[in-house]
Amino acid sequence: MGELEGAYALVTGGTAGIGLAIAERFVAEGAEVVVTGRTRSTLDAALARLGPRATGVLGDAASLDDLDRLMDTVRATGRGLDVLVANAGGGSEAPVAQMTAEHFDRVADLNIRGTFFTVQKALPLLVDGAAVVLVSSISGSNGDPEHSVYNASKAAVRSFARTLTSELRDRRIRVNALSPGPTLSVGFAAFVGGGDEVLAQIAAAVPVGRVGRTEEVAAAALFLASRESSFVAGAELVVDGGMSQV
């Protein structure tokens, strides 16, 4: 019997990379999973990979209209959400002198606005005692150049885990942040650029000597989503091979 046997879970941005790995692990552990994605082709490919216990909703987490449509779809099933993983996020960056208001808004809308309103709009659907996992990043604690808005947005996501835990305590809803470090995925490769040479440099900075795998982050997400973490709330679980810890 799996750790999430019979659970109903929603994973935003669940069509590729870390989000897809989380959805796959949840399905393997017995959950039924709803995933979201911004393009039909990636959504269809993810559903084909996840199998019959997964359903998909096309939409952008930065769009409040899309979030409303997503929650209406979940509500129509008549089931409450046992697990919510607010994973949708990302965004390219620019030096501070070249940052435009439009660029700023794209990153902030997806990572901050999208995460916050995903949780807010899911509240009526979450069962008492549900688990909420907010996917942040070790970037939220970093000051690496040319990533100012992205870094700040991920720090905000980690902050949400604290405040939402306090606000939702009467419903025993646990909110935790999951902060991956460098993890092999299409999104990460596009974010860092530079190909194998840059990846090798990043791996050299990780105490365990390599970048992470998406399934390793998914294992951490499973812990936060399951009863194994029943006394963990408002916390940040860092999955980065020690990169930000030593």
Side-chain angles (χ1 to χ4, degrees):
M1 188 171 176
E3 292 289 339
L4 296 178
E5 195 69 36
Y8 192 40
L10 169 60
V11 181
T12 64
T15 60
I18 289 172
L20 179 57
I22 291 172
E24 282 189 298
R25 185 62 189 272
F26 283 10
V27 168
E29 295 290 338
E32 292 186 40
V33 180
V34 179
V35 297
T36 71
R38 288 186 285 183
T39 65
R40 173 55 62 185
S41 59
T42 55
L43 184 60
D44 288 345
L47 293 176
R49 181 167 168 175
L50 292 169
R53 288 211 301 273
T55 56
V57 178
L58 192 65
D60 185 342
S63 166
L64 298 188
D65 288 341
D66 285 359
L67 287 175
D68 284 336
R69 187 165 48 82
L70 167 63
M71 300 309 167
D72 286 344
T73 301
V74 174
R75 186 177 294 106
T77 67
R79 298 184 62 182
L81 284 172
D82 301 289
V83 181
L84 168 63
V85 180
N87 168 73
S92 58
E93 273 296 349
V96 62
Q98 298 173 22
M99 179 66 66
T100 65
E102 293 77 17
H103 195 162
F104 183 104
D105 288 346
R106 281 198 302 273
V107 177
D109 282 356
L110 181 56
N111 294 338
I112 303 176
R113 173 186 167 102
T115 298
F116 180 86
F117 283 105
T118 293
V119 178
Q120 185 204 65
K121 291 178 180 294
L123 284 178
L125 303 173
L126 290 168
V127 302
D128 290 351
V132 176
V133 181
L134 309 180
V135 179
S136 181
S137 168
I138 64 167
S139 296
S141 301
N142 290 348
D144 48 313
E146 301 186 11
H147 295 84
S148 56
V149 181
Y150 180 82
N151 291 352
S153 72
K154 288 302 187 179
V157 172
R158 196 273 172 264
S159 180
F160 286 154
R162 291 190 173 102
T163 305
L164 294 174
T165 292
S166 295
E167 288 202 22
L168 301 176
R169 61 182 299 168
D170 289 345
R171 295 184 57 193
R172 296 174 289 102
I173 293 175
R174 297 182 299 107
V175 185
N176 290 290
L178 175 62
S179 292
T183 306
L184 282 176
S185 67
V186 174
F188 175 73
F191 186 70
V192 300
D196 292 342
E197 182 178 346
V198 172
L199 287 175
Q201 292 173 353
I202 294 171
V206 179
V208 302
R210 60 176 176 83
V211 298
R213 300 187 298 273
T214 57
E215 58 266 30
E216 292 174 311
V217 181
L222 173 64
F223 169 72
L224 293 177
S226 74
R227 290 180 293 273
E228 293 296 309
S229 62
S230 59
F231 202 54
V232 180
E236 178 183 24
L237 178 53
V238 176
V239 187
D240 71 347
M243 186 177 186
S244 66
Q245 305 299 304
V246 299

